[in-house]
Amino acid sequence: MRTGKLVRWGVPVAAAAVIGAAVAAGPVIAAVGSDPVLPERTASQLLADAAAAAERQSGIQPMSGTVTKTASLGLPALPGADAAGGDSPLALLTGAHEVKVWYGSGERFRLALPGEMSEKNLIVNGGQAWLWDSASNTATRLKIDLGPQAKHTPPTPQPTDMTPQQVAEKVLADAEQHSTVSVTNTDQVAGRAVYQVSLAPKDPSTLVKEIKVALDGETYVPLRVQIYAKDSAEPAFEVGFTQLSFAPPAEENFTFTPPAGVTVKDQTITGAELAKTDRMDDMPALKTVGQGWSTVAVVPFELPSDAQAKQAVDSFLKGATPVSGTWGSGRLIKTKLLTALLTDDGRVLVGAVTPDKLTELAGSR
């Protein structure tokens, strides 16, 4: 973890959120109200407790559970999303998706992506890894070859490697600069008592009404994140556990034998390929304008060559609104949480801000 020890307690939800965005429909997550079962904490005390817990645990503790992600962003219908399947990039932008996870250690974990009539599994057990796809009836044996020159470089100390109190004070100071922060201790997620930290933006130009982060009352692991748009009672985006156990998963969850009749393939991933994924050389030059909740990302843009991606872009642009200003002209799209502007001079500006704010920031170079 290159961003400090405090980040470690966020890994289970962060990892599951990325994978969980690749699966079939599941129910919307709902908090279950209950009588207070946790000691009261201020936001500062809670963040200090979370940092101290991360220090004690020195990583992710064994766990298993089910994570559900829901998105209701108000996007237009995406062509090809249904045909591409529930785990396609286009299908991830709407609806509900689910992933099951078993975590024993950094070298022993399993992710299951259930579909309507199929399931995909990634099983890692020490030096052996399998990717099992029941729909195609194939099992791929994965091997990572780092090469003779490969060396493991431990993470270097970061500014966040401080005392829990210092971490809490810094995080809270940054949050309170742009948000109103509050804590409740009366909610449950996946049957576990949680503290819920709420961040309400002070900036009137943002589309975000509130962000809620639920922290397990015992381990301080984040169990759910909800993002609410203005004028909406339900989350526009939500990811969290619907079932969770911190008991070590059974060993059988990390073993896999290809069933009879399955096509077995072998794939080697080299150290050079892994290094290439870490490089930012080929990424478009990204810059930001604005600050706090009004921060907007600006990247160069060219129409994609991939037919499906180009079709999706064209579909978006059909519903776009022509706009212009001192910065030039372009086409603007607004969803519940994000506004995007594609300028005629080849830029894309995206932020959780109102259209007026986005076009105002379009003139910032």
Side-chain angles (χ1 to χ4, degrees), residues 40-195:
E40 291 187 359
R41 290 283 191 274
T42 66
S44 180
Q45 291 170 332
L46 183 58
L47 291 172
D49 290 342
E55 190 77 30
R56 291 192 302 269
Q57 293 164 7
S58 299
I60 309 170
Q61 63 188 98
M63 58 179 289
S64 61
T66 302
V67 173
T68 300
K69 182 230 70 168
T70 62
S72 178
L73 303 177
L75 294 170
L78 299 176
D82 294 335
D87 59 354
S88 73
L90 294 179
L92 307 182
L93 300 176
T94 59
H97 306 279
E98 181 182 280
V99 62
K100 298 179 188 259
V101 56
W102 298 263
Y103 183 87
S105 68
E107 296 182 345
R108 292 170 61 252
F109 59 88
R110 179 174 187 160
L111 300 169
L113 314 175
E116 291 184 5
M117 299 293 292
S118 63
E119 183 171 278
K120 293 181 181 179
N121 276 257
L122 173 65
I123 306 106
V124 176
N125 193 352
Q128 188 175 57
W130 287 93
L131 182 61
W132 158 238
D133 185 349
S134 66
S136 62
N137 204 32
T138 59
T140 304
R141 185 167 31 219
L142 303 173
K143 178 182 177 182
I144 298 178
D145 182 7
L146 299 179
Q149 304 301 320
K151 295 181 180 179
H152 174 69
T153 304
T156 56
Q158 298 293 310
T160 50
D161 293 334
M162 303 179 288
T163 66
Q165 291 76 16
Q166 287 173 316
V167 173
E169 289 171 4
K170 184 178 188 308
V171 171
L172 187 58
D174 291 343
E176 289 187 327
Q177 180 181 355
H178 303 288
S179 313
T180 301
V181 183
S182 60
V183 178
T184 60
N185 63 338
T186 59
D187 292 307
Q188 290 185 4
V189 173
R192 297 183 64 89
V194 298
Y195 290 103

Side-chain angles (χ1 to χ4, degrees), residues 26-365:
V28 173
I29 307 162
V32 179
S34 66
D35 293 331
V37 292
L38 297 172
E40 291 187 359
R41 290 283 191 274
T42 66
S44 180
Q45 291 170 332
L46 183 58
L47 291 172
D49 290 342
E55 190 77 30
R56 291 192 302 269
Q57 293 164 7
S58 299
I60 309 170
Q61 63 188 98
M63 58 179 289
S64 61
T66 302
V67 173
T68 300
K69 182 230 70 168
T70 62
S72 178
L73 303 177
L75 294 170
L78 299 176
D82 294 335
D87 59 354
S88 73
L90 294 179
L92 307 182
L93 300 176
T94 59
H97 306 279
E98 181 182 280
V99 62
K100 298 179 188 259
V101 56
W102 298 263
Y103 183 87
S105 68
E107 296 182 345
R108 292 170 61 252
F109 59 88
R110 179 174 187 160
L111 300 169
L113 314 175
E116 291 184 5
M117 299 293 292
S118 63
E119 183 171 278
K120 293 181 181 179
N121 276 257
L122 173 65
I123 306 106
V124 176
N125 193 352
Q128 188 175 57
W130 287 93
L131 182 61
W132 158 238
D133 185 349
S134 66
S136 62
N137 204 32
T138 59
T140 304
R141 185 167 31 219
L142 303 173
K143 178 182 177 182
I144 298 178
D145 182 7
L146 299 179
Q149 304 301 320
K151 295 181 180 179
H152 174 69
T153 304
T156 56
Q158 298 293 310
T160 50
D161 293 334
M162 303 179 288
T163 66
Q165 291 76 16
Q166 287 173 316
V167 173
E169 289 171 4
K170 184 178 188 308
V171 171
L172 187 58
D174 291 343
E176 289 187 327
Q177 180 181 355
H178 303 288
S179 313
T180 301
V181 183
S182 60
V183 178
T184 60
N185 63 338
T186 59
D187 292 307
Q188 290 185 4
V189 173
R192 297 183 64 89
V194 298
Y195 290 103
Q196 186 151 264
V197 181
S198 298
L199 303 174
K202 297 177 180 178
D203 187 346
S205 66
T206 181
L207 298 176
V208 178
K209 177 174 70 177
E210 187 177 25
I211 292 181
K212 296 181 179 181
V213 181
L215 304 180
D216 184 74
E218 180 182 352
T219 66
Y220 299 100
V221 170
L223 301 188
R224 185 185 62 205
V225 176
Q226 298 170 306
I227 304 177
Y228 290 80
K230 288 183 176 178
D231 303 321
S232 179
E234 298 296 328
F237 180 85
E238 178 175 7
V239 59
F241 286 96
T242 53
Q243 183 276 326
L244 175 65
S245 170
F246 284 105
E251 184 61 32
E252 63 190 38
N253 291 302
F254 308 114
T255 59
F256 177 76
T257 301
V262 168
T263 300
V264 177
K265 302 178 181 179
D266 287 283
Q267 180 178 347
T268 299
I269 303 173
T270 66
E273 290 172 329
L274 290 174
K276 185 176 180 180
T277 63
D278 290 335
R279 284 168 42 196
M280 301 294 290
D281 300 349
D282 299 330
M283 295 292 290
L286 172 84
K287 77 169 189 175
T288 60
V289 294
Q291 60 179 347
W293 292 94
S294 291
T295 301
V296 168
V298 186
V299 294
F301 176 78
E302 293 182 5
L303 283 174
S305 56
D306 177 77
Q308 184 171 297
K310 186 176 185 301
Q311 189 179 12
V313 171
D314 290 340
S315 177
F316 271 111
L317 294 181
K318 284 180 181 178
T321 302
V323 292
S324 62
T326 56
W327 46 269
S329 59
R331 286 165 286 181
L332 185 141
I333 297 171
K334 179 181 177 294
T335 70
K336 290 181 181 179
L337 285 179
L338 293 173
T339 304
L341 172 64
L342 174 61
T343 66
D344 293 340
D345 60 7
R347 292 177 294 154
V348 171
L349 293 85
V350 181
V353 296
T354 62
D356 287 346
K357 187 65 176 180
L358 190 66
T359 53
E360 172 191 327
L361 292 174
S364 302
R365 295 280 181 168

